[in-house]
């Protein structure tokens, strides 16, 4: 029946998530970009991690997560104090020019968000972005804290919570309060597998909570990966997909799913 099918889909997604986790454990460090120096910065500098989350929209994830490193090169340094004191330089760095590529598809808006994030870190967290999660909050508390930063939507906050706990080893409590991101790839996979019936933020999030109540966010990475690699908007490549054996392949449900 439908409930048994959903259960098998969830089990297959979690198995794929575990396989991705095993692959990650074989690497010397978490990988976000093809650039080891950029990866090292976002792993070692909590403020760089925060800025990468802010920048992760309407461009590829790899480009977004390299942005703090690129910004540091252009500014000659990287700290909340520097960004707040030199907001005009931050804007110019994002715009590029003189042979340099813009750092973002929306450089002015993103620069403003990044500077405001720096100001919040200075005013509310004593200049230390690690304090955002340093008191071992619940997953829900951390998501709510991140959503207070301009430019960090439900999608980005949910994603960041999972990355911090799963990939960076940040201790959090009550992971049943985690959520999937309302991401275009996640939404498409949820609809085509029957985990969700309609493309609506509240409905998709609740579908994940109902499907895997102990940790809804655990469905995020495998669904995102499958949506990006196999469950494409058109002509999905179903045969090699890790969940093809249990997926009901309701392909037309993914038609019209747009966004980032």
């Amino acid at each position: 029946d439908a409930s048994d099918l959903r259960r098998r889909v969830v089990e297959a997604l979690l198995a794929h998530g575990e396989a991705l986790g095993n692959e990650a454990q074989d690497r010397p460090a978490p990988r976000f970009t093809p650039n080891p120096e950029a990866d090292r910065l976002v792993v070692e500098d909590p403020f760089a991690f925060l800025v990468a989350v802010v920048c992760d929209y309407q461009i590829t994830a790899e480009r977004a997560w390299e942005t703090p490193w690129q910004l540091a090169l252009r500014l000659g340094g990287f700290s909340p104090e520097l960004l707040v004191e030199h907001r005009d330089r931050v804007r110019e760095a994002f715009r590029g020019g003189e042979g340099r590529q813009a750092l973002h598809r929306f450089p002015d808006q993103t620069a403003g968000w990044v500077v405001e994030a720096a100001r919040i870190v200075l005013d509310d967290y004593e200049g230390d972005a690690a304090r955002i999660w340093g008191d071992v909050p619940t997953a829900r508390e951390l998501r709510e804290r991140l959503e207070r930063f301009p430019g960090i939507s439900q999608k980005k906050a949910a994603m960041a919570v999972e990355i911090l706990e799963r990939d960076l080893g940040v201790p959090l409590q009550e992971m049943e309060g985690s959520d999937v991101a309302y991401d275009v790839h996640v939404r498409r996979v949820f609809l085509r597998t029957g985990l969700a019936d309609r493309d609506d933020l509240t409905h998709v999030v609740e579908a994940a909570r109902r499907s895997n109540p102990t940790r809804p966010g655990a469905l995020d990475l495998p669904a995102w990966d499958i949506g990006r690699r196999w469950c494409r908007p058109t002509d999905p490549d179903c045969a090699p997909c890790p969940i093809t054996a249990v997926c009901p392949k309701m392909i037309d449900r993914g038609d019209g799913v747009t966004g980032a």
Side-chain angles (χ1 to χ4, degrees):
D1 62 4
S3 61
D4 183 61
L5 177 60
R6 284 193 295 269
R7 178 186 59 78
R8 286 185 285 134
V9 167
V10 169
E11 290 174 352
L13 282 171
L14 293 175
H16 182 54
E18 184 176 356
L20 292 172
N22 291 336
E23 289 177 13
Q25 288 179 0
D26 292 336
R27 302 180 193 131
R31 183 181 301 164
F32 300 99
T33 79
N35 182 338
E37 293 185 18
D39 286 347
R40 189 177 305 113
L41 180 63
V42 296
V43 168
E44 296 179 355
D45 185 335
F47 180 60
F49 177 90
L50 180 69
V51 169
V53 174
V54 170
C55 294
D56 194 355
Y57 79 108
Q58 295 292 323
I59 59 175
T60 64
E62 293 81 2
R63 184 180 171 192
W65 287 78
E66 191 178 30
T67 298
W69 182 77
Q70 292 282 0
L71 186 58
L73 287 181
R74 296 183 183 188
L75 295 176
F78 192 80
S79 69
E81 294 86 354
L82 178 66
L83 270 60
V84 168
E85 290 174 10
H86 301 282
R87 60 184 65 232
D88 290 339
R89 287 181 58 204
V90 173
R91 186 179 299 108
E92 291 305 314
F94 266 93
R95 288 176 178 174
E98 298 182 357
R100 299 188 304 182
Q101 181 185 22
L103 292 181
H104 203 281
R105 183 179 175 187
F106 304 105
D108 287 355
Q109 180 183 58
T110 310
W113 284 347
V114 166
V115 170
E116 181 61 12
R119 186 198 62 76
I120 293 172
V121 168
L122 288 173
D123 291 351
D124 296 352
Y125 298 100
E126 300 181 16
D128 182 4
R131 289 178 174 266
I132 301 170
W133 49 80
D135 58 345
V136 194
T138 67
R140 188 183 308 278
E141 287 171 338
L142 178 54
R143 178 169 49 79
E144 290 173 350
R145 291 175 190 178
L146 290 168
E147 286 179 353
R148 295 190 185 104
F149 285 84
I152 297 187
S153 60
Q154 183 279 339
K155 166 190 166 180
K156 292 195 268 187
M159 170 196 71
V161 168
E162 279 294 311
I163 291 174
L164 285 166
E165 199 280 340
R166 181 190 64 228
D167 300 323
L168 301 188
V170 170
L172 300 177
Q173 302 180 60
E174 299 178 22
M175 291 307 295
E176 63 269 19
S178 67
D179 279 322
V180 295
Y182 189 62
D183 172 89
V184 66
H185 303 303
V186 174
R187 292 151 53 202
R188 190 164 57 247
V189 169
F190 267 51
L191 288 165
R192 286 175 171 172
T193 59
L195 293 183
D197 298 317
R198 62 182 185 277
D199 187 15
D200 170 81
L201 188 156
T202 300
H203 176 71
V204 171
V205 169
E206 289 297 333
R209 292 175 180 175
R210 181 175 61 252
S211 298
N212 194 44
T214 58
R215 184 168 182 166
L219 297 172
D220 185 73
L221 177 62
W224 179 84
D225 184 65
I226 287 170
R228 202 180 194 209
R229 295 168 64 185
W230 298 288
C231 197
R232 301 181 296 240
T234 58
D235 299 319
D237 192 10
C238 293
C241 176
I243 66 170
T244 190
V246 297
C247 179
K249 300 179 180 61
M250 295 183 280
I251 305 303
D252 59 340
R253 284 192 173 196
D255 294 346
V257 177
T258 60

